[in-house]
Amino acid sequence: MQLRHSFRIDPTPRQRIAFARAFGCARVVFNDAIALRNHAHQQGLPFLTDAELSRLVITQAKQTPQRSWLGEVSAVVLQQALADGCVAFRNFFASRAGTRKGPKLGPPRFRSRKDNRQAIRFTRNARFAITAAGKLRLPKIGDVAVRWSRSLPSEPSSVTVVKDASGRYFASFVVEAAETPLPATEAETGIDLGLTHFAVLSGGRKIDSPRFLRRAEKKLKQAQQALSRKEKGSNNRAKARMKVARRHAKVTDARREFHHQLSTKLIRENQAIYVEDLAVKGLARTGLAKSVHDSGWASFIGMVEYKAKLYGRTFVKIARFFPSSKLCSACGALAEQMPLAVRRWTCPCGVTHDRDVNAEINIRAEGRRIVAAGRKPVPEMGGKRRRKTPAETGKTPSPAPRGERGGTVDETGSHRSAA
């Protein structure tokens, strides 16, 4: 499978100028390609193919006085920028036709030099290399110092140089990584993600939410207030904007590190991991938006998923509308309502549940059932329906008196039948 390994790089002042030139040239080629296709569409002209665009915005443009400076950067950078524009159009057309999964996409927009993220890509055709001294050699830029934190598992097929909003430079390598299964273990866990606790695991274990953004709000507020008082276009405003960007980058880095450490620990300790398919975009439009974004659930689930595939673990997403919180893990009864304010509730069968612990038990049970059935439901495509609970079928057995029920009580305090 293909993975990305990102490392911080430290270009010299002259190399920073070369990167700025490359970012600008790639941006111009991308924008010219979009403008030509938009113009052809508005004038009713035939659709411009990728080859025609390459000839117009790169080959012929280099020969004109207005675009002669495109020859100062690697041709691969320009070709990759054009390829990005063509892919953006293909994704837009596929989204309009309904053949692309996910939310609807709009037409490609023009790039700006004021965008928070600037990037260029080098493929093997550019003949980039890692020198014996550990530097990254890039055409028409030179040998750039890299802060290596680990060695690459294989030869990279491409490298993307990124400049973020805080002015930091990164080299992102695409490498082919072989799957290396970890030793088998009998442990497995469900993951109930939340805001009070970041995650609830098997056995009722709760992982506290770090709330990185909430903890940094005071300093962020001060930096943003200082930025608002600076005159637009001044050097002091540029410095204040950079200070805000660095504080946001610090929060992002801390959150990413937390996700990596927790996901790696879960993969090492458990043979199977089951998690809900949360509607993060929907939750981000509610009054809990800031806390939802601060948690970064989608990023965390993505890490668990690719690490499970890399290390030979079982990973299952539970259907989005599975009632994990409202379903009694002891008798299978389904509560009619379960507001977020309700953290503990008592089922008619007499068992009192911690909302999050009960949800994790139900997620784990549903994940086991999916694995046993040998399938994975795809909620977006309308996969097979889950089996109805006794309460939904109207066959809920009448609960026995509290002192006469058989069975055992598991480690979370939930009642389990003897059968």
Side-chain angles (χ1 to χ4, degrees):
M1 61 182 298
Q2 285 189 335
L3 294 178
R4 280 193 176 273
H5 290 265
S6 185
F7 304 92
R8 183 86 176 268
I9 59 176
D10 296 312
T12 63
R14 181 172 296 179
Q15 289 170 346
R16 289 173 185 263
I17 296 174
F19 277 132
R21 184 183 300 116
F23 292 145
C25 291
R27 184 173 60 249
V28 166
V29 168
F30 182 91
N31 290 344
D32 286 350
I34 292 179
L36 283 175
R37 276 194 172 166
N38 289 343
H39 177 73
H41 174 70
Q42 292 167 2
Q43 300 298 321
L45 301 176
F47 181 79
L48 293 173
T49 64
D50 295 357
E52 290 173 332
L53 280 179
S54 179
R55 177 174 55 84
L56 292 172
V57 304
I58 298 179
T59 306
Q60 292 184 1
K62 287 182 179 179
Q63 301 172 4
T64 63
Q66 296 82 4
R67 295 284 189 268
S68 60
W69 35 264
L70 290 177
E72 298 178 4
V73 302
S74 171
V76 174
V77 169
L78 306 181
Q79 293 164 0
Q80 292 301 306
L82 176 61
D84 289 342
C86 296
V87 169
F89 270 106
R90 282 196 290 271
N91 289 339
F92 168 60
F93 296 144
S95 180
R96 289 290 298 270
T99 58
R100 185 182 186 276
K101 296 180 181 179
K104 293 292 183 181
L105 296 180
R109 70 169 183 85
F110 293 106
R111 291 178 178 175
S112 169
R113 63 183 180 85
K114 296 182 179 180
D115 289 343
N116 290 333
R117 183 181 183 273
Q118 303 285 342
I120 52 175
R121 185 166 62 253
F122 298 87
T123 61
R124 286 175 179 169
N125 294 336
R127 298 181 181 178
F128 70 90
I130 299 173
T131 66
K135 292 189 175 183
L136 175 61
R137 180 167 294 167
L138 298 173
K140 297 193 176 182
I141 291 178
D143 295 352
V144 185
V146 183
R147 301 185 190 181
W148 298 104
S149 57
R150 65 177 67 184
S151 58
L152 296 175
S154 62
E155 286 293 323
S157 60
S158 69
V159 58
T160 302
V161 177
V162 179
K163 180 185 178 183
D164 66 6
S166 62
R168 301 179 301 177
Y169 291 81
F170 294 89
S172 179
F173 298 90
V174 175
V175 297
E176 197 70 30
E179 297 182 10
T180 53
L182 292 172
T185 176
E186 296 182 358
E188 57 183 10
T189 184
I191 303 178
D192 178 63
L193 298 171
L195 298 177
T196 305
H197 296 91
F198 178 78
V200 177
L201 310 177
S202 61
R205 187 155 57 105
K206 298 182 178 181
I207 306 298
D208 290 334
S209 180
R211 296 175 179 169
F212 296 106
L213 180 60
R214 296 286 187 182
R215 283 162 32 188
E217 270 186 327
K218 184 177 179 180
K219 291 183 178 179
L220 273 171
K221 181 180 178 180
Q222 293 173 349
Q224 288 166 345
Q225 287 176 340
L227 173 62
S228 68
R229 291 192 290 266
K230 300 298 186 289
E231 183 180 353
K232 290 186 177 181
S234 65
N235 290 334
N236 284 337
R237 184 178 178 85
K239 294 177 183 177
R241 187 200 62 78
M242 193 65 67
K243 188 174 181 180
V244 173
R246 290 196 191 100
R247 293 205 178 277
H248 277 291
K250 189 174 182 179
V251 171
T252 303
D253 292 345
R255 185 187 298 117
R256 185 187 302 114
E257 180 67 14
F258 169 73
H259 288 168
H260 270 299
Q261 290 184 0
L262 180 58
S263 59
T264 300
K265 183 178 180 181
L266 292 176
I267 291 297
R268 288 176 176 172
E269 294 178 350
N270 298 279
Q271 185 66 32
I273 297 176
Y274 315 108
V275 63
E276 276 185 304
D277 181 24
L278 296 174
V280 177
K281 287 188 176 180
L283 291 170
R285 290 194 292 266
T286 66
L288 302 172
K290 182 178 288 188
S291 296
V292 170
H293 286 304
D294 195 10
S295 298
W297 293 329
S299 173
F300 172 72
I301 293 174
M303 289 181 185
V304 175
E305 185 173 8
Y306 90 76
K307 290 179 183 179
K309 182 179 180 182
L310 181 63
Y311 296 113
R313 300 307 201 195
T314 300
F315 176 84
V316 177
K317 273 187 180 180
I318 309 303
R320 179 167 297 179
F321 298 104
F322 177 72
S324 58
S325 298
K326 299 191 292 184
L327 192 66
C328 176
S329 58
C331 69
L334 187 65
E336 293 184 2
Q337 294 182 348
M338 190 66 60
L340 282 175
V342 178
R343 308 315 301 175
R344 299 185 67 86
W345 61 283
T346 302
C347 179
C349 70
V351 178
T352 300
H353 295 290
D354 179 292
R355 178 197 182 101
D356 299 328
V357 173
N358 176 68
E360 186 278 326
I361 295 173
N362 288 326
I363 291 170
R364 184 159 26 112
E366 178 70 3
R368 288 172 176 169
R369 186 186 67 80
I370 293 172
V371 172
R375 62 178 178 83
K376 293 184 179 181
V378 184
E380 295 79 5
M381 299 300 292
K384 294 182 179 179
R385 295 181 179 180
R386 65 177 178 83
R387 187 170 51 191
K388 290 186 177 181
T389 65
E392 292 172 317
T393 60
K395 300 179 180 179
T396 306
S398 56
R402 189 174 180 84
E404 299 178 8
R405 295 200 311 272
T408 59
V409 177
D410 65 11
E411 68 274 12
T412 63
S414 299
H415 185 272
R416 295 289 186 184
S417 63

